[in-house]
Amino acid sequence: MPRWAILRAAGQSEAFTYGVYREVEGTEAEALAVMRGLIDTFDEARTERKRKRQTRQVFRLSERTYFVRVQYPWASDESAQFTLAELIADTSSDDLPDIVGG
């Protein structure tokens, strides 16, 4: 079964830092569904009166990469980029090669 990492990039411009947000096993479609679910719930902050944030935008950069921007009327904006990456080499797995070249 293929293994996937949902990467989250945070920061500004060239100062982005990437980290593994979640790991998933399954088909590409299943992993994309998990990632889209995470994107749909990203930064669900609410005010003291339980009102939802003012503006939330999702941009698709490619089939496996999305950018999310949440704009608040009372605070600074939050944003993140999510990318789905397939595991293709792993020295601890008998099912995968040790290196990218095979």
Side-chain angles (χ1 to χ4, degrees), residues 47-90:
T47 67
E48 292 177 11
R49 295 186 187 109
K50 308 285 187 205
R51 290 184 305 209
K52 290 186 176 182
R53 62 210 166 256
Q54 183 175 2
T55 302
R56 188 169 174 284
Q57 298 172 320
V58 178
F59 299 87
R60 183 175 62 210
L61 304 175
S62 72
E63 289 302 316
R64 291 187 182 176
T65 303
Y66 293 80
F67 179 79
V68 183
R69 178 173 60 192
V70 181
Q71 297 171 312
Y72 297 97
W74 63 89
S76 60
D77 297 349
E78 290 290 327
S79 61
Q81 180 178 313
F82 291 90
T83 301
L84 182 65
E86 182 178 9
L87 178 64
I88 60 168
D90 186 348

Side-chain angles (χ1 to χ4, degrees), residues 31-57:
L32 278 169
V34 170
M35 183 174 75
R36 289 180 185 135
L38 292 171
I39 290 167
D40 285 343
T41 59
F42 172 73
D43 206 24
E44 287 188 307
R46 301 176 189 277
T47 67
E48 292 177 11
R49 295 186 187 109
K50 308 285 187 205
R51 290 184 305 209
K52 290 186 176 182
R53 62 210 166 256
Q54 183 175 2
T55 302
R56 188 169 174 284
Q57 298 172 320

